[in-house]
């Protein structure tokens, strides 16, 4: 495997970077009661002692709290980025200072460096994988299958990764169990809806210094992420257009009051286009030809394939950086189309990106930590393949959050529980 340096060997002023990274992590931790509670339990019980956890995640302050939580539970952790532009180098350096953590994540790496860092994580021979996008799982299966027998299981964070894993599972190619963390209520209802909705719009606004009010915002895809983006954009007085390929989601968007139309039609009226599909070629040359001068093009899906930038580059007569994080493509007829964050995850890859709100990621990463615990403690219960997260784990995280917020809720009485479990009570 490649001999790839940790971030400590790549940062010029490592001590300054570490101090700033710890400052960011301290702020995040103050607002993450779920991981704080889990870490206290983990430190006492050391449930991951002897485990080696390999991670490919967006390495920023909130993720760092999860990484430290797993390390404080006794694990040796090796981590790298899951996107070339989403790492915060100072946070990565702060993590690498921990005696149980090796961080290879670095911002603005090329494709070769990106995969060398993944190989560096794999060189630790992980017994557990925690992935965001499935690149780590894919690399192990394709290049290091000899490690699979010693891998207990894994967890997958995001929609795109779960889609890839399910396709892999359907082909009979996934050879160890992986929890679909993305598909839990605590992930979809909060991370995907509120996290993606708020962080994507906030980063676009900060990057461009433009208002949402009065703009036609085209949201491609009406899954949980698309629902969040549409809801938050409408809340900032934008007119929302939804494009979809699934008829029930298209109908749902219509019933929520949004205009629904094909992308061919939306291309003619949109001011801002935001893709949330996880699929490729959502916006292509046919659409570029119809767009108005000055439109903004952004992606909130995992990979940079939703907006076809190769086609846009071929159409452009010139390119320039209109602002930091905004690439302007000028077409032959004088129209200018502006791509944010190189078509990558706009809420994590733009120059001033901070990702999802801290409180939201506390919930998602709480599920991740609980799933790692479940996989370590009960791995024999899970065959190779994709598994839903046990509902009691998801509820556990919700209960910790409610307790931290001082929110009380009702319980079923014995009679109610008996009624709900019976088929014999009729009219």
């Amino acid at each position: 495997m490649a001999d790839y340096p940790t971030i400590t060997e790549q940062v010029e002023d490592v001590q300054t970077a570490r101090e700033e990274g710890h400052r960011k992590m301290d702020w995040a931790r103050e607002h993450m009661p779920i991981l704080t509670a889990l870490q206290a339990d983990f430190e006492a019980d050391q449930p991951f002692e002897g485990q080696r956890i390999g991670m490919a995640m967006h390495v920023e302050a909130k993720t760092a709290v999860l990484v430290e939580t797993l390390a404080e539970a006794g694990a040796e952790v090796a981590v790298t980025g899951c996107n070339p532009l989403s790492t915060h180098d100072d946070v990565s350096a702060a993590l690498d200072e921990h005696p149980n953590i090796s961080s290879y994540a670095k911002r603005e790496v090329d494709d070769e460096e990106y995969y060398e860092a993944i190989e560096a994580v794999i060189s630790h021979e992980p017994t557990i994988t925690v992935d965001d996008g499935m690149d780590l799982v894919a690399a192990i299966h394709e290049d290091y299958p000899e490690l699979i027998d010693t891998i207990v299981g894994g967890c997958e964070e995001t929609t795109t990764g779960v889609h890839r894993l399910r396709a892999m599972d359907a082909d009979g190619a996934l050879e160890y169990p992986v929890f679909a963390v993305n598909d839990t209520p605590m992930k979809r209802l909060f991370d995907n809806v509120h996290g993606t909705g708020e962080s994507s719009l906030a980063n676009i606004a900060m990057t461009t210094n433009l208002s949402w009010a009065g703009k036609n915002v085209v949201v491609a895809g009406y899954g949980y992420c698309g629902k969040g983006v549409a809801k938050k954009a409408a809340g900032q007085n934008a007119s929302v257009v939804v494009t979809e390929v699934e008829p029930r989601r298209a109908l749902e968007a219509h019933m929520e009051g949004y205009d629904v139309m094909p992308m061919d039609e939306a291309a003619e009226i949109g001011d801002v286009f935001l893709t949330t599909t996880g699929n490729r070629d959502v916006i292509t040359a046919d659409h570029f030809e119809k767009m108005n001068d000055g439109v903004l093009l952004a992606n909130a899906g995992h990979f940079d394939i939703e907006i076809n930038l190769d086609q846009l580059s071929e159409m452009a007569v010139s390119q320039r950086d209109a602002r930091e994080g905004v690439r302007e493509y000028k077409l032959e007829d004088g129209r200018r189309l502006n791509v944010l964050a190189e078509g990558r995850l706009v809420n994590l890859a733009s120059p001033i990106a901070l990702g999802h709100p801290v409180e939201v990621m506390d919930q998602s990463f709480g599920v991740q930590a609980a799933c790692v615990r479940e996989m370590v403690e009960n791995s024999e219960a899970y065959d190779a393949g994709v598994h839903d997260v046990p509902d009691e784990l998801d509820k556990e995280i919700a209960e910790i959050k409610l307790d931290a917020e001082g929110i009380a809720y009702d319980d079923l009485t014995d009679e109610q529980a008996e009624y709900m479990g019976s088929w014999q009570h009729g009219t």
Side-chain angles (χ1 to χ4, degrees):
M1 298 184 187
D3 183 16
Y4 191 79
T6 67
I7 187 68
T8 298
E9 301 168 81
Q10 301 182 63
V11 174
E12 290 185 9
D13 187 349
V14 68
Q15 189 54 41
T16 299
R18 285 172 174 170
E19 290 173 1
E20 179 59 18
H22 283 302
R23 189 164 71 100
K24 291 179 179 180
M25 292 161 60
D26 290 344
W27 173 261
R29 190 178 289 104
E30 288 177 20
H31 302 276
M32 301 182 83
I34 297 171
L35 283 183
T36 299
L38 289 174
Q39 182 169 324
D41 290 342
F42 288 172
E43 287 176 347
D45 299 337
Q46 294 291 288
F48 306 151
E49 187 172 2
Q51 299 294 331
R52 298 180 300 277
I53 301 177
M55 305 179 71
M57 306 284 283
H58 299 291
V59 179
E60 44 77 57
K62 301 177 290 291
T63 309
V65 177
L66 170 63
V67 177
E68 281 200 342
T69 298
L70 301 179
E72 291 295 328
E76 173 193 330
V77 183
V79 61
T80 189
C82 64
N83 184 294
L85 293 177
S86 63
T87 293
H88 290 208
D89 286 348
D90 49 6
V91 171
S92 183
L95 278 177
D96 199 51
E97 188 178 19
H98 192 290
N100 286 12
I101 299 171
S102 299
S103 181
Y104 302 94
K106 188 175 185 299
R107 187 179 178 87
E108 296 183 344
V109 294
D110 59 25
D111 285 350
E112 182 179 355
E113 291 172 310
Y114 176 80
Y115 287 106
E116 283 180 349
I118 286 179
E119 288 196 349
V121 169
I122 296 172
S123 72
H124 290 256
E125 300 186 358
T127 57
I128 296 280
T129 61
V130 180
D131 231 333
D132 190 316
M134 208 203 85
D135 280 349
L136 185 59
V137 172
I140 289 171
H141 280 74
E142 291 172 4
D143 301 323
Y144 304 99
E146 68 275 10
L147 298 180
I148 291 174
D149 286 345
T150 57
I151 294 177
V152 174
C155 305
E156 171 54 51
E157 171 75 10
T158 199
T159 306
T160 296
V162 170
H163 284 170
R164 295 178 73 194
L165 283 167
R166 292 197 187 281
M168 191 177 182
D169 194 10
D171 287 343
L174 181 58
E175 297 188 29
Y176 62 83
V178 181
F179 280 130
V181 172
N182 177 79
D183 292 357
T184 67
M186 285 296 288
K187 173 67 164 61
R188 283 182 163 175
L189 296 178
F190 305 102
D191 184 308
N192 293 3
V193 175
H194 296 283
T196 301
E198 292 179 21
S199 64
S200 297
L201 298 185
N203 276 285
I204 292 171
M206 288 188 292
T207 300
T208 63
N209 197 30
L210 298 176
S211 172
W212 292 104
K215 285 188 171 59
N216 291 326
V217 177
V218 179
V219 181
Y222 199 67
Y224 285 95
C225 292
K227 290 175 185 178
V229 170
K231 178 179 180 179
K232 304 297 182 179
Q236 297 193 60
N237 298 325
S239 298
V240 176
V241 176
V242 171
T243 71
E244 249 299 345
V245 297
E246 211 289 324
R248 291 160 295 186
R249 288 181 177 175
L251 183 58
E252 182 182 10
H254 168 70
M255 295 293 284
E256 288 294 331
Y258 304 122
D259 290 329
V260 179
M261 63 185 72
M263 184 61 78
D264 278 345
E265 296 178 23
E268 299 179 358
I269 63 172
D271 299 308
V272 183
F273 295 79
L274 191 55
T275 57
T276 68
T277 71
N279 208 338
R280 64 176 303 140
D281 298 329
V282 178
I283 300 178
T284 64
D286 291 341
H287 307 126
F288 300 142
E289 290 175 354
K290 300 177 181 180
M291 289 180 177
N292 294 318
D293 180 37
V295 301
L296 305 179
L297 301 167
N299 170 43
H302 188 77
F303 293 118
D304 59 340
I305 57 173
E306 305 208 16
I307 303 168
N308 194 317
L309 296 181
D310 290 338
Q311 292 180 350
L312 184 55
S313 295
E314 291 174 3
M315 294 173 64
V317 295
S318 66
Q319 300 181 32
R320 72 183 182 103
D321 291 326
R323 283 175 64 88
E324 190 177 8
V326 181
R327 187 71 173 169
E328 177 191 275
Y329 294 76
K330 190 172 183 179
L331 306 185
E332 191 171 8
D333 60 7
R335 287 179 298 127
R336 297 156 298 176
L337 311 185
N338 299 292
V339 176
L340 277 64
E342 301 180 14
R344 299 187 183 276
L345 268 171
V346 70
N347 59 332
L348 280 158
S350 64
I352 53 176
L354 297 175
H356 289 359
V358 177
E359 300 94 333
V360 168
M361 292 313 301
D362 187 33
Q363 297 176 180
S364 296
F365 288 157
V367 177
Q368 285 276 22
C371 285
V372 172
R373 182 190 63 198
E374 173 68 11
M375 199 62 80
V376 170
E377 293 179 349
N378 299 302
S379 59
E380 69 283 350
Y382 302 98
D383 296 328
V386 180
H387 294 268
D388 292 333
V389 175
D391 198 49
E392 62 268 20
L393 297 187
D394 206 49
K395 287 181 178 178
E396 174 189 349
I397 303 307
E399 289 166 356
I400 295 173
K401 177 67 172 180
L402 289 169
D403 183 62
E405 296 287 330
I407 298 172
Y409 58 99
D410 285 325
D411 293 317
L412 293 175
T413 65
D414 291 342
E415 291 79 9
Q416 288 173 323
E418 189 272 333
Y419 179 84
M420 294 299 291
S422 172
W423 57 270
Q424 296 172 317
H425 295 288
T427 57

